[in-house]
Amino acid sequence: QENLLENLHRIRNALAHRSEHSYDVFSRLVIGDLPLNPLEKKPASFLRSTFRAHPYQTRFENYLTEILSIAQQLSRV
């Protein structure tokens, strides 16, 4: 869960700051060696890309589901 939150923070920084450093961190630590086409290697396109085909879900939708799960676990504490 911590790794997920760190990756979301890296994606957020790449979207918000658009600096060479934030893109470098995004490229190295978030997408790494994922098999993506060149258009999906930018932060916004990455979030719009397909996470799974059946049922269809984007990476953004998957991240929202994961964040909801973390929030629900924290609210039980």
Side-chain angles (χ1 to χ4, degrees), residues 20-73:
E20 189 173 318
H21 175 72
S22 64
Y23 277 123
D24 178 57
V25 169
F26 170 77
S27 295
R28 284 185 301 107
L29 301 177
V30 176
I31 62 174
D33 58 356
L34 288 175
L36 301 169
N37 71 47
L39 296 175
E40 295 173 341
K41 292 186 178 186
K42 293 185 178 183
S45 299
F46 173 74
L47 290 174
R48 287 190 298 262
S49 67
T50 302
F51 177 71
R52 66 175 172 210
H54 299 286
Y56 179 77
Q57 188 177 45
T58 65
R59 293 182 192 278
F60 178 74
E61 292 167 331
N62 180 64
Y63 283 134
L64 288 179
T65 302
E66 294 294 327
I67 291 172
L68 176 61
S69 174
I70 292 170
Q72 289 172 334
Q73 289 174 14

Short mmCIF file of all heavy atoms in Angstrom, two decimals, residues 20-73:
data_model
loop_
_atom_site.label_atom_id
_atom_site.label_comp_id
_atom_site.label_asym_id
_atom_site.label_seq_id
_atom_site.Cartn_x
_atom_site.Cartn_y
_atom_site.Cartn_z
N GLU A 20 11.65 18.13 -15.87
CA GLU A 20 12.46 17.01 -16.35
C GLU A 20 12.66 15.98 -15.24
O GLU A 20 12.59 14.78 -15.46
CB GLU A 20 13.81 17.53 -16.85
CG GLU A 20 14.63 16.49 -17.56
CD GLU A 20 15.88 17.08 -18.19
OE1 GLU A 20 15.81 18.17 -18.76
OE2 GLU A 20 16.93 16.42 -18.06
N HIS A 21 12.89 16.49 -14.03
CA HIS A 21 13.10 15.58 -12.89
C HIS A 21 11.85 14.75 -12.60
O HIS A 21 11.95 13.52 -12.41
CB HIS A 21 13.50 16.38 -11.65
CG HIS A 21 13.61 15.53 -10.42
ND1 HIS A 21 14.63 14.64 -10.22
CD2 HIS A 21 12.80 15.43 -9.34
CE1 HIS A 21 14.45 14.02 -9.05
NE2 HIS A 21 13.35 14.48 -8.51
N SER A 22 10.68 15.38 -12.57
CA SER A 22 9.46 14.63 -12.25
C SER A 22 9.15 13.61 -13.34
O SER A 22 8.69 12.50 -13.04
CB SER A 22 8.28 15.57 -12.02
OG SER A 22 7.95 16.28 -13.19
N TYR A 23 9.40 13.93 -14.60
CA TYR A 23 9.21 12.97 -15.69
C TYR A 23 10.20 11.82 -15.57
O TYR A 23 9.86 10.67 -15.82
CB TYR A 23 9.36 13.63 -17.06
CG TYR A 23 8.10 14.33 -17.54
CD1 TYR A 23 8.11 15.67 -17.87
CD2 TYR A 23 6.90 13.63 -17.69
CE1 TYR A 23 6.97 16.31 -18.31
CE2 TYR A 23 5.76 14.26 -18.13
CZ TYR A 23 5.80 15.60 -18.45
OH TYR A 23 4.66 16.22 -18.88
N ASP A 24 11.43 12.13 -15.19
CA ASP A 24 12.45 11.10 -15.03
C ASP A 24 12.05 10.12 -13.92
O ASP A 24 12.12 8.90 -14.09
CB ASP A 24 13.81 11.73 -14.73
CG ASP A 24 14.88 10.68 -14.49
OD1 ASP A 24 15.09 9.84 -15.40
OD2 ASP A 24 15.49 10.69 -13.41
N VAL A 25 11.62 10.65 -12.78
CA VAL A 25 11.18 9.81 -11.66
C VAL A 25 9.98 8.96 -12.09
O VAL A 25 9.92 7.76 -11.82
CB VAL A 25 10.84 10.67 -10.43
CG1 VAL A 25 10.15 9.85 -9.36
CG2 VAL A 25 12.10 11.32 -9.89
N PHE A 26 9.03 9.57 -12.78
CA PHE A 26 7.86 8.85 -13.29
C PHE A 26 8.29 7.71 -14.21
O PHE A 26 7.85 6.57 -14.06
CB PHE A 26 6.91 9.80 -14.02
CG PHE A 26 5.82 9.13 -14.77
CD1 PHE A 26 4.71 8.62 -14.12
CD2 PHE A 26 5.89 8.99 -16.15
CE1 PHE A 26 3.69 7.98 -14.82
CE2 PHE A 26 4.88 8.36 -16.86
CZ PHE A 26 3.79 7.85 -16.19
N SER A 27 9.16 8.02 -15.16
CA SER A 27 9.61 7.02 -16.13
C SER A 27 10.35 5.86 -15.46
O SER A 27 10.11 4.70 -15.78
CB SER A 27 10.52 7.65 -17.17
OG SER A 27 9.80 8.57 -17.94
N ARG A 28 11.23 6.18 -14.54
CA ARG A 28 12.04 5.13 -13.91
C ARG A 28 11.27 4.33 -12.89
O ARG A 28 11.36 3.09 -12.87
CB ARG A 28 13.27 5.75 -13.23
CG ARG A 28 14.37 6.17 -14.15
CD ARG A 28 15.62 6.65 -13.42
NE ARG A 28 15.37 7.80 -12.54
CZ ARG A 28 15.34 7.76 -11.21
NH1 ARG A 28 15.59 6.65 -10.57
NH2 ARG A 28 15.09 8.85 -10.50
N LEU A 29 10.51 4.99 -12.03
CA LEU A 29 9.95 4.32 -10.87
C LEU A 29 8.48 3.91 -11.00
O LEU A 29 8.02 3.04 -10.27
CB LEU A 29 10.13 5.20 -9.63
CG LEU A 29 11.59 5.54 -9.30
CD1 LEU A 29 11.66 6.48 -8.11
CD2 LEU A 29 12.41 4.29 -9.06
N VAL A 30 7.75 4.55 -11.90
CA VAL A 30 6.33 4.18 -12.05
C VAL A 30 6.16 3.24 -13.24
O VAL A 30 5.67 2.11 -13.07
CB VAL A 30 5.43 5.43 -12.23
CG1 VAL A 30 3.98 5.01 -12.47
CG2 VAL A 30 5.53 6.33 -11.00
N ILE A 31 6.56 3.67 -14.42
CA ILE A 31 6.33 2.81 -15.59
C ILE A 31 7.46 1.82 -15.80
O ILE A 31 7.22 0.73 -16.31
CB ILE A 31 6.03 3.61 -16.87
CG1 ILE A 31 7.19 4.50 -17.28
CG2 ILE A 31 4.76 4.39 -16.72
CD1 ILE A 31 6.98 5.18 -18.61
N GLY A 32 8.67 2.17 -15.40
CA GLY A 32 9.79 1.24 -15.48
C GLY A 32 9.85 0.50 -16.79
O GLY A 32 9.97 1.11 -17.84
N ASP A 33 9.70 -0.81 -16.73
CA ASP A 33 9.75 -1.62 -17.94
C ASP A 33 8.39 -2.20 -18.33
O ASP A 33 8.30 -3.24 -18.96
CB ASP A 33 10.79 -2.73 -17.80
CG ASP A 33 10.52 -3.65 -16.62
OD1 ASP A 33 9.57 -3.37 -15.86
OD2 ASP A 33 11.24 -4.64 -16.46
N LEU A 34 7.31 -1.49 -17.94
CA LEU A 34 5.98 -1.94 -18.35
C LEU A 34 5.88 -1.89 -19.87
O LEU A 34 6.38 -0.96 -20.50
CB LEU A 34 4.89 -1.02 -17.76
CG LEU A 34 4.62 -1.11 -16.28
CD1 LEU A 34 3.60 -0.04 -15.86
CD2 LEU A 34 4.09 -2.48 -15.92
N PRO A 35 5.22 -2.87 -20.46
CA PRO A 35 5.07 -2.87 -21.92
C PRO A 35 4.00 -1.87 -22.36
O PRO A 35 2.81 -2.20 -22.45
CB PRO A 35 4.67 -4.31 -22.24
CG PRO A 35 3.99 -4.77 -21.00
CD PRO A 35 4.66 -4.06 -19.85
N LEU A 36 4.41 -0.64 -22.61
CA LEU A 36 3.49 0.41 -23.03
C LEU A 36 3.87 0.91 -24.40
O LEU A 36 5.05 0.90 -24.77
CB LEU A 36 3.56 1.59 -22.05
CG LEU A 36 3.22 1.31 -20.59
CD1 LEU A 36 3.60 2.50 -19.73
CD2 LEU A 36 1.76 0.97 -20.43
N ASN A 37 2.88 1.39 -25.16
CA ASN A 37 3.24 2.00 -26.43
C ASN A 37 3.75 3.41 -26.13
O ASN A 37 3.50 3.96 -25.05
CB ASN A 37 2.08 1.96 -27.44
CG ASN A 37 0.93 2.88 -27.10
OD1 ASN A 37 1.15 4.05 -26.76
ND2 ASN A 37 -0.28 2.37 -27.20
N PRO A 38 4.47 4.02 -27.05
CA PRO A 38 5.10 5.32 -26.78
C PRO A 38 4.13 6.41 -26.32
O PRO A 38 4.49 7.25 -25.50
CB PRO A 38 5.74 5.68 -28.12
CG PRO A 38 5.98 4.38 -28.78
CD PRO A 38 4.85 3.49 -28.35
N LEU A 39 2.90 6.39 -26.80
CA LEU A 39 1.93 7.41 -26.40
C LEU A 39 1.49 7.26 -24.95
O LEU A 39 1.03 8.23 -24.34
CB LEU A 39 0.71 7.38 -27.32
CG LEU A 39 0.97 7.71 -28.78
CD1 LEU A 39 -0.31 7.53 -29.59
CD2 LEU A 39 1.49 9.13 -28.92
N GLU A 40 1.61 6.07 -24.39
CA GLU A 40 1.17 5.82 -23.01
C GLU A 40 2.27 6.07 -21.99
O GLU A 40 2.07 5.85 -20.81
CB GLU A 40 0.69 4.37 -22.89
CG GLU A 40 -0.55 4.07 -23.70
CD GLU A 40 -0.92 2.61 -23.71
OE1 GLU A 40 -0.05 1.76 -23.39
OE2 GLU A 40 -2.06 2.30 -24.05
N LYS A 41 3.40 6.57 -22.43
CA LYS A 41 4.52 6.78 -21.51
C LYS A 41 4.54 8.17 -20.90
O LYS A 41 5.46 8.52 -20.17
CB LYS A 41 5.84 6.48 -22.22
CG LYS A 41 5.97 5.00 -22.54
CD LYS A 41 7.29 4.63 -23.10
CE LYS A 41 7.34 3.12 -23.33
NZ LYS A 41 8.64 2.67 -23.75
N LYS A 42 3.51 8.96 -21.15
CA LYS A 42 3.35 10.25 -20.49
C LYS A 42 2.32 10.06 -19.39
O LYS A 42 1.42 9.23 -19.50
CB LYS A 42 2.89 11.30 -21.49
CG LYS A 42 3.95 11.61 -22.53
CD LYS A 42 3.53 12.73 -23.42
CE LYS A 42 4.65 13.04 -24.40
NZ LYS A 42 4.33 14.18 -25.24
N PRO A 43 2.42 10.83 -18.31
CA PRO A 43 1.56 10.59 -17.14
C PRO A 43 0.06 10.56 -17.43
O PRO A 43 -0.62 9.62 -17.00
CB PRO A 43 1.92 11.74 -16.20
CG PRO A 43 3.30 12.12 -16.59
CD PRO A 43 3.40 11.89 -18.06
N ALA A 44 -0.48 11.53 -18.13
CA ALA A 44 -1.92 11.55 -18.38
C ALA A 44 -2.34 10.38 -19.27
O ALA A 44 -3.36 9.73 -19.01
CB ALA A 44 -2.33 12.88 -19.01
N SER A 45 -1.56 10.11 -20.30
CA SER A 45 -1.87 8.98 -21.18
C SER A 45 -1.75 7.65 -20.45
O SER A 45 -2.51 6.72 -20.71
CB SER A 45 -0.93 8.99 -22.39
OG SER A 45 -1.09 10.17 -23.12
N PHE A 46 -0.78 7.58 -19.56
CA PHE A 46 -0.61 6.37 -18.74
C PHE A 46 -1.87 6.10 -17.93
O PHE A 46 -2.36 4.97 -17.87
CB PHE A 46 0.60 6.54 -17.83
CG PHE A 46 0.77 5.43 -16.84
CD1 PHE A 46 1.24 4.19 -17.24
CD2 PHE A 46 0.47 5.62 -15.51
CE1 PHE A 46 1.39 3.15 -16.33
CE2 PHE A 46 0.62 4.60 -14.58
CZ PHE A 46 1.08 3.36 -15.00
N LEU A 47 -2.42 7.13 -17.30
CA LEU A 47 -3.63 6.95 -16.49
C LEU A 47 -4.83 6.56 -17.34
O LEU A 47 -5.72 5.85 -16.87
CB LEU A 47 -3.94 8.22 -15.70
CG LEU A 47 -2.97 8.54 -14.57
CD1 LEU A 47 -3.31 9.90 -13.97
CD2 LEU A 47 -3.00 7.46 -13.51
N ARG A 48 -4.87 7.01 -18.59
CA ARG A 48 -5.98 6.67 -19.50
C ARG A 48 -5.80 5.29 -20.14
O ARG A 48 -6.74 4.77 -20.72
CB ARG A 48 -6.11 7.72 -20.59
CG ARG A 48 -6.70 9.03 -20.12
CD ARG A 48 -7.03 9.93 -21.29
NE ARG A 48 -5.85 10.29 -22.06
CZ ARG A 48 -5.17 11.42 -21.93
NH1 ARG A 48 -5.55 12.31 -21.04
NH2 ARG A 48 -4.11 11.66 -22.67
N SER A 49 -4.62 4.72 -20.02
CA SER A 49 -4.35 3.45 -20.70
C SER A 49 -5.10 2.30 -20.03
O SER A 49 -5.55 2.38 -18.89
CB SER A 49 -2.85 3.15 -20.72
OG SER A 49 -2.35 2.91 -19.43
N THR A 50 -5.22 1.20 -20.75
CA THR A 50 -5.98 0.04 -20.29
C THR A 50 -5.20 -0.71 -19.22
O THR A 50 -4.06 -1.09 -19.42
CB THR A 50 -6.27 -0.90 -21.47
OG1 THR A 50 -6.99 -0.18 -22.46
CG2 THR A 50 -7.07 -2.11 -21.02
N PHE A 51 -5.85 -0.90 -18.08
CA PHE A 51 -5.28 -1.72 -17.02
C PHE A 51 -5.64 -3.19 -17.25
O PHE A 51 -4.83 -4.08 -17.12
CB PHE A 51 -5.77 -1.25 -15.65
CG PHE A 51 -5.29 -2.10 -14.51
CD1 PHE A 51 -3.97 -2.07 -14.12
CD2 PHE A 51 -6.15 -2.95 -13.85
CE1 PHE A 51 -3.51 -2.86 -13.07
CE2 PHE A 51 -5.71 -3.75 -12.80
CZ PHE A 51 -4.39 -3.70 -12.41
N ARG A 52 -6.92 -3.41 -17.58
CA ARG A 52 -7.37 -4.75 -17.95
C ARG A 52 -8.50 -4.63 -18.95
O ARG A 52 -9.21 -3.62 -18.98
CB ARG A 52 -7.78 -5.56 -16.73
CG ARG A 52 -9.00 -5.04 -16.03
CD ARG A 52 -9.41 -5.99 -14.93
NE ARG A 52 -10.48 -5.36 -14.17
CZ ARG A 52 -10.67 -5.58 -12.89
NH1 ARG A 52 -9.89 -6.40 -12.25
NH2 ARG A 52 -11.66 -4.99 -12.27
N ALA A 53 -8.67 -5.69 -19.71
CA ALA A 53 -9.65 -5.66 -20.80
C ALA A 53 -11.03 -6.18 -20.39
O ALA A 53 -12.04 -5.70 -20.90
CB ALA A 53 -9.14 -6.46 -21.99
N HIS A 54 -11.07 -7.18 -19.49
CA HIS A 54 -12.36 -7.78 -19.13
C HIS A 54 -12.49 -7.91 -17.63
O HIS A 54 -11.78 -8.73 -17.04
CB HIS A 54 -12.52 -9.16 -19.77
CG HIS A 54 -12.47 -9.12 -21.25
ND1 HIS A 54 -13.50 -8.65 -22.01
CD2 HIS A 54 -11.49 -9.47 -22.12
CE1 HIS A 54 -13.17 -8.73 -23.28
NE2 HIS A 54 -11.94 -9.22 -23.36
N PRO A 55 -13.31 -7.17 -16.95
CA PRO A 55 -14.05 -6.02 -17.48
C PRO A 55 -13.09 -4.86 -17.72
O PRO A 55 -12.08 -4.72 -17.01
CB PRO A 55 -15.04 -5.69 -16.38
CG PRO A 55 -14.40 -6.18 -15.13
CD PRO A 55 -13.58 -7.38 -15.54
N TYR A 56 -13.43 -4.04 -18.69
CA TYR A 56 -12.55 -2.94 -19.07
C TYR A 56 -12.33 -2.00 -17.90
O TYR A 56 -13.27 -1.62 -17.21
CB TYR A 56 -13.12 -2.17 -20.26
CG TYR A 56 -12.22 -1.02 -20.66
CD1 TYR A 56 -11.06 -1.25 -21.37
CD2 TYR A 56 -12.53 0.28 -20.27
CE1 TYR A 56 -10.21 -0.21 -21.71
CE2 TYR A 56 -11.69 1.33 -20.62
CZ TYR A 56 -10.54 1.08 -21.33
OH TYR A 56 -9.70 2.11 -21.66
N GLN A 57 -11.09 -1.64 -17.68
CA GLN A 57 -10.74 -0.71 -16.61
C GLN A 57 -9.46 0.02 -16.98
O GLN A 57 -8.49 -0.60 -17.42
CB GLN A 57 -10.55 -1.47 -15.29
CG GLN A 57 -10.39 -0.59 -14.09
CD GLN A 57 -10.27 -1.41 -12.81
OE1 GLN A 57 -9.56 -2.40 -12.75
NE2 GLN A 57 -10.99 -0.98 -11.79
N THR A 58 -9.47 1.35 -16.80
CA THR A 58 -8.26 2.12 -17.04
C THR A 58 -7.38 2.05 -15.80
O THR A 58 -7.82 1.66 -14.72
CB THR A 58 -8.58 3.60 -17.35
OG1 THR A 58 -9.17 4.19 -16.18
CG2 THR A 58 -9.50 3.75 -18.55
N ARG A 59 -6.14 2.47 -15.96
CA ARG A 59 -5.24 2.52 -14.81
C ARG A 59 -5.76 3.51 -13.77
O ARG A 59 -5.66 3.27 -12.56
CB ARG A 59 -3.83 2.87 -15.25
CG ARG A 59 -3.20 1.78 -16.09
CD ARG A 59 -1.79 2.11 -16.50
NE ARG A 59 -1.32 1.20 -17.51
CZ ARG A 59 -0.84 -0.01 -17.28
NH1 ARG A 59 -0.73 -0.45 -16.05
NH2 ARG A 59 -0.44 -0.79 -18.28
N PHE A 60 -6.33 4.62 -14.23
CA PHE A 60 -6.90 5.61 -13.31
C PHE A 60 -8.00 4.98 -12.47
O PHE A 60 -8.03 5.14 -11.24
CB PHE A 60 -7.43 6.81 -14.10
CG PHE A 60 -8.08 7.85 -13.24
CD1 PHE A 60 -7.30 8.69 -12.45
CD2 PHE A 60 -9.45 8.00 -13.21
CE1 PHE A 60 -7.89 9.65 -11.64
CE2 PHE A 60 -10.05 8.96 -12.41
CZ PHE A 60 -9.26 9.79 -11.63
N GLU A 61 -8.91 4.26 -13.11
CA GLU A 61 -10.00 3.60 -12.38
C GLU A 61 -9.45 2.58 -11.39
O GLU A 61 -9.97 2.46 -10.27
CB GLU A 61 -10.96 2.93 -13.36
CG GLU A 61 -11.74 3.92 -14.20
CD GLU A 61 -12.46 3.27 -15.37
OE1 GLU A 61 -12.00 2.23 -15.88
OE2 GLU A 61 -13.51 3.83 -15.77
N ASN A 62 -8.42 1.87 -11.78
CA ASN A 62 -7.81 0.90 -10.88
C ASN A 62 -7.20 1.60 -9.66
O ASN A 62 -7.37 1.14 -8.53
CB ASN A 62 -6.75 0.08 -11.60
CG ASN A 62 -6.11 -0.93 -10.69
OD1 ASN A 62 -6.76 -1.83 -10.19
ND2 ASN A 62 -4.83 -0.75 -10.44
N TYR A 63 -6.50 2.70 -9.90
CA TYR A 63 -5.92 3.44 -8.77
C TYR A 63 -7.01 3.95 -7.83
O TYR A 63 -6.84 3.92 -6.61
CB TYR A 63 -5.07 4.61 -9.27
CG TYR A 63 -3.71 4.21 -9.78
CD1 TYR A 63 -3.22 4.71 -10.98
CD2 TYR A 63 -2.88 3.34 -9.07
CE1 TYR A 63 -1.96 4.35 -11.46
CE2 TYR A 63 -1.63 2.98 -9.53
CZ TYR A 63 -1.18 3.48 -10.72
OH TYR A 63 0.07 3.13 -11.18
N LEU A 64 -8.13 4.43 -8.38
CA LEU A 64 -9.23 4.89 -7.52
C LEU A 64 -9.76 3.75 -6.66
O LEU A 64 -10.05 3.95 -5.47
CB LEU A 64 -10.36 5.48 -8.37
CG LEU A 64 -10.09 6.83 -9.00
CD1 LEU A 64 -11.30 7.26 -9.83
CD2 LEU A 64 -9.78 7.89 -7.96
N THR A 65 -9.89 2.57 -7.24
CA THR A 65 -10.35 1.41 -6.49
C THR A 65 -9.37 1.07 -5.36
O THR A 65 -9.79 0.78 -4.23
CB THR A 65 -10.51 0.19 -7.43
OG1 THR A 65 -11.42 0.53 -8.46
CG2 THR A 65 -11.00 -1.03 -6.68
N GLU A 66 -8.09 1.13 -5.67
CA GLU A 66 -7.06 0.84 -4.66
C GLU A 66 -7.08 1.88 -3.53
O GLU A 66 -6.96 1.54 -2.35
CB GLU A 66 -5.68 0.78 -5.30
CG GLU A 66 -5.50 -0.37 -6.27
CD GLU A 66 -5.54 -1.72 -5.61
OE1 GLU A 66 -5.09 -1.84 -4.44
OE2 GLU A 66 -6.03 -2.67 -6.24
N ILE A 67 -7.23 3.15 -3.88
CA ILE A 67 -7.28 4.21 -2.86
C ILE A 67 -8.51 4.02 -1.97
O ILE A 67 -8.44 4.19 -0.75
CB ILE A 67 -7.29 5.60 -3.51
CG1 ILE A 67 -5.95 5.90 -4.16
CG2 ILE A 67 -7.63 6.68 -2.50
CD1 ILE A 67 -5.94 7.16 -5.00
N LEU A 68 -9.64 3.67 -2.57
CA LEU A 68 -10.86 3.42 -1.80
C LEU A 68 -10.63 2.29 -0.80
O LEU A 68 -11.03 2.38 0.36
CB LEU A 68 -12.03 3.09 -2.72
CG LEU A 68 -13.34 2.71 -2.04
CD1 LEU A 68 -13.85 3.85 -1.17
CD2 LEU A 68 -14.37 2.31 -3.08
N SER A 69 -9.97 1.24 -1.24
CA SER A 69 -9.68 0.11 -0.36
C SER A 69 -8.80 0.54 0.81
O SER A 69 -9.06 0.16 1.96
CB SER A 69 -8.99 -1.01 -1.16
OG SER A 69 -8.58 -2.05 -0.31
N ILE A 70 -7.79 1.33 0.54
CA ILE A 70 -6.91 1.84 1.62
C ILE A 70 -7.70 2.70 2.59
O ILE A 70 -7.58 2.56 3.80
CB ILE A 70 -5.72 2.62 1.02
CG1 ILE A 70 -4.79 1.67 0.27
CG2 ILE A 70 -4.96 3.36 2.12
CD1 ILE A 70 -3.72 2.37 -0.55
N ALA A 71 -8.56 3.57 2.06
CA ALA A 71 -9.36 4.45 2.91
C ALA A 71 -10.30 3.64 3.80
O ALA A 71 -10.48 3.95 4.99
CB ALA A 71 -10.14 5.44 2.05
N GLN A 72 -10.90 2.60 3.23
CA GLN A 72 -11.81 1.76 4.02
C GLN A 72 -11.05 1.04 5.14
O GLN A 72 -11.54 0.93 6.26
CB GLN A 72 -12.51 0.76 3.12
CG GLN A 72 -13.54 1.40 2.23
CD GLN A 72 -14.12 0.45 1.19
OE1 GLN A 72 -13.47 -0.53 0.81
NE2 GLN A 72 -15.31 0.75 0.73
N GLN A 73 -9.85 0.57 4.84
CA GLN A 73 -9.05 -0.11 5.87
C GLN A 73 -8.66 0.88 6.97
O GLN A 73 -8.68 0.52 8.16
CB GLN A 73 -7.81 -0.72 5.25
CG GLN A 73 -8.10 -1.92 4.38
CD GLN A 73 -6.87 -2.42 3.65
OE1 GLN A 73 -5.75 -2.06 3.97
NE2 GLN A 73 -7.09 -3.26 2.65
#
